[in-house]
Amino acid sequence: MATMRAEALRVQGALALLRHAHAHPGVTRAEAAARLGLSSGSAAEIMGRLRAARLLGEAAAPQTGGRGRPSTVLVAHPEGPLVAVVELTQPPLTPVPVPTSTTALALLTAAITRSAAPQ
């Protein structure tokens, strides 16, 4: 039971980060973490999983002239997946157009739904 709850929380964090990056183009990981109430470690772990799944990437942020480590902004992964979405209802099946910017969210939602289904 605890394992299922931990996995559900990880999925919620990944979805929240994907949604935030989609809603706020150019947001940095640090800004997204602060807005979502994630620790920097959690944000890094979630980002690592999203990067490995090729759903989200990071790119250099514009220079601010400040000191310290350069920031990165969250971007669509350059090798991200392409998706075909079909609305599954009683016949007939209906193709649903999906804007490119929501592709990652649609894919992750489908993967979550599959993993949550009873075995």
Side-chain angles (χ1 to χ4, degrees):
M1 186 66 130
T3 303
M4 290 175 55
R5 178 163 164 67
E7 182 57 29
L9 290 173
R10 281 192 285 277
V11 168
Q12 287 175 353
L15 282 172
L17 189 57
L18 276 172
R19 285 184 179 121
H20 192 75
H22 171 70
H24 304 280
V27 68
T28 67
R29 183 181 358 152
E31 291 166 342
R35 178 81 169 149
L36 298 172
L38 298 171
S39 69
S40 61
S42 291
E45 188 268 332
I46 291 168
M47 190 58 215
R49 286 189 291 116
L50 292 173
R51 188 181 306 107
R54 295 181 176 172
L55 295 174
L56 205 56
E58 293 179 275
Q63 294 293 330
T64 62
R67 295 172 48 185
R69 188 181 312 173
S71 293
T72 58
V73 293
L74 303 181
V75 297
H77 195 284
E79 298 173 11
L82 299 175
V83 176
V85 177
V86 176
E87 182 177 355
L88 298 177
T89 59
Q90 294 298 325
L93 299 179
T94 307
V96 178
V98 177
T100 305
S101 57
T102 62
T103 299
L105 185 58
L107 238 189
L108 185 60
T109 302
I112 291 164
T113 303
R114 279 193 310 273
S115 69
Q119 301 291 329

